[in-house]
């Protein structure tokens, strides 16, 4: 179980502290697929950075109750694939390892590229790939740490629909096999409903949770399921703009 408790996260603007997140608290069960939906600028990336430990300047605590070491392994995938253009796909994936040049790392990276379906392209460079394939590399790289918790920050943004659908299916397949916990930030309600066990809707800043929905539908989910569910999600526009109180 991961417990997120952010009492306050502020940034300094014009010499004064402006609260982006205040009293945001929620739990994520081990192995759960949690989606977080909120308007642009709500503080979703800020929150993921706090969970990832990239930013430690906040009041509050992120804790993991059933991790053996107390600090679980985290994987992260950003909006942009952030691949190094001068490295091959294999080298890009190896890069996140403590020993990027070891044979063992190369073997593991090759296995991860295989998991995401692009091992045959491992000697290619990012510029030779489509956007969808680049995201696959980014996913392979995020999986290198064998994460307990995978954090995804709008990872499929700007992909065309077929590529995004393929990648969503791939992510579900990998998640169902490896059973890690997922926190998936998106601004697309349909994406959240198609993927997640539960959705938290965030308000505009200072961010708070305005609604929680459990998605109790079997996978793979069809668009018809999504349409049926959307009826129960009253005031869709309000939820997506973070204005429901
Ligand atoms: P979201 O991911 O929901 O779009 P962000 O977490 O990126 O939102 O940003 C939330 C708010 O915090 C925005 O108003 C943004 O301008 C501000 N912000 C984000 N990062 C910084 C920073 N490093 N310094 C100052 N303000 C920031």
């Amino acid at each position: 179980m991961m417990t997120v408790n952010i009492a306050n996260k502020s940034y300094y603007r014009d010499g004064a502290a402006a609260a982006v997140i205040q009293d945001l608290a929620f739990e994520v069960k081990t192995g759960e697929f949690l989606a977080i939906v909120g308007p642009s600028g709500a503080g979703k990336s800020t929150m993921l950075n706090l969970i990832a430990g990239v930013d430690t300047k906040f009041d509050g605590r992120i804790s993991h109750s059933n991790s053996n070491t107390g600090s679980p392994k985290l994987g992260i995938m950003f909006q942009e694939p952030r691949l190094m253009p001068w490295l091959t796909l294999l080298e890009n994936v190896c890069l996140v390892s403590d020993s990027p040049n070891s044979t063992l790392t190369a073997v593991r990276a090759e296995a991860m590229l295989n998991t995401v379906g692009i091992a045959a392209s491992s000697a290619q460079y990012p510029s030779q790939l489509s956007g969808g394939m680049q995201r696959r590399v980014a996913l392979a790289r995020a999986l290198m740490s064998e994460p307990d918790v995978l954090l995804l920050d709008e990872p499929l943004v700007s992909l065309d629909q077929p590529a995004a659908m393929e990648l969503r299916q791939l992510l579900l397949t990998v998640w169902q096999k490896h059973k890690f916990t997922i926190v998936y930030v998106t601004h697309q309600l349909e994406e959240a409903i198609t993927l997640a066990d539960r959705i938290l809707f965030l308000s505009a800043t200072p961010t708070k949770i305005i609604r929680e929905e459990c998605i109790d539908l079997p996978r793979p989910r069809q668009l018809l399921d999504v349409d049926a569910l959307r009826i129960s999600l009253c005031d869709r526009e309000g939820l997506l703009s973070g204005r429901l109180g």
Side-chain angles (χ1 to χ4, degrees):
M1 170 89 77
M2 175 167 79
T3 305
V4 175
N5 200 332
I6 304 169
N8 183 283
K9 169 62 191 175
S10 297
Y11 289 118
Y12 277 88
R13 277 187 213 133
D14 304 324
V20 175
I21 303 175
Q22 238 168 17
D23 298 327
L24 181 73
F26 60 90
E27 292 176 336
V28 194
K29 290 198 264 318
T30 301
E32 185 178 12
F33 196 133
L34 178 74
I36 307 236
V37 174
S40 181
K44 302 181 296 298
S45 300
T46 299
M47 180 197 69
L48 277 194
N49 284 338
L50 302 185
I51 295 175
V54 174
D55 182 355
T56 54
K57 291 184 194 144
F58 71 107
D59 297 331
R61 188 153 184 256
I62 317 286
S63 54
H64 300 264
S65 62
N66 55 352
S67 159
N68 293 336
T69 57
S71 50
K73 289 179 278 179
L74 298 172
I76 188 157
M77 194 172 157
F78 304 98
Q79 289 180 13
E80 296 303 324
R82 300 192 186 183
L83 303 176
M84 305 297 156
W86 60 90
L87 297 179
T88 65
L89 306 193
L90 188 70
E91 288 164 345
N92 264 287
V93 177
C94 288
L95 200 60
V96 294
S97 163
D98 290 338
S99 43
N101 299 319
S102 83
T103 310
L104 195 61
T105 299
V107 170
R108 286 201 49 235
E110 196 82 53
M112 294 305 152
L113 288 171
N114 194 34
T115 298
V116 300
I118 50 170
S121 310
S122 63
Q124 291 193 319
Y125 289 86
S127 61
Q128 297 173 279
L129 302 183
S130 67
M133 286 174 80
Q134 291 192 20
R135 308 302 163 109
R136 284 173 191 257
V137 182
L139 178 58
R141 186 182 53 193
L143 295 174
M144 272 296 271
S145 64
E146 295 179 0
D148 301 304
V149 181
L150 184 61
L151 306 171
L152 301 115
D153 190 357
E154 300 196 38
L156 309 183
V157 81
S158 76
L159 282 186
D160 59 53
Q161 270 306 322
M165 271 175 62
E166 263 184 35
L167 274 154
R168 279 184 210 120
Q169 190 47 54
L170 172 66
L171 179 64
L172 283 175
T173 305
V174 175
W175 168 66
Q176 282 163 339
K177 185 165 174 215
H178 295 278
K179 303 194 188 315
F180 39 72
T181 306
I182 290 189
V183 180
Y184 190 105
V185 163
T186 178
H187 60 263
Q188 280 189 44
L189 184 54
E190 284 73 13
E191 178 167 62
I193 295 172
T194 311
L195 291 172
D197 294 322
R198 187 163 56 106
I199 307 175
L200 296 181
F201 293 91
L202 301 186
S203 71
T205 56
T207 298
K208 62 177 193 278
I209 296 168
I210 55 172
R211 188 157 168 157
E212 177 176 353
E213 285 283 336
C214 290
I215 314 296
D216 191 15
L217 293 171
R219 297 183 180 87
R221 293 176 184 157
Q222 308 296 325
L223 276 178
L224 276 178
D225 301 334
V226 171
D227 282 347
L229 192 79
R230 204 186 297 157
I231 295 165
S232 76
L233 291 170
C234 67
D235 202 343
R236 181 172 189 274
E237 294 309 311
L239 283 171
L240 290 179
S241 62
R243 282 197 294 268
L244 276 194

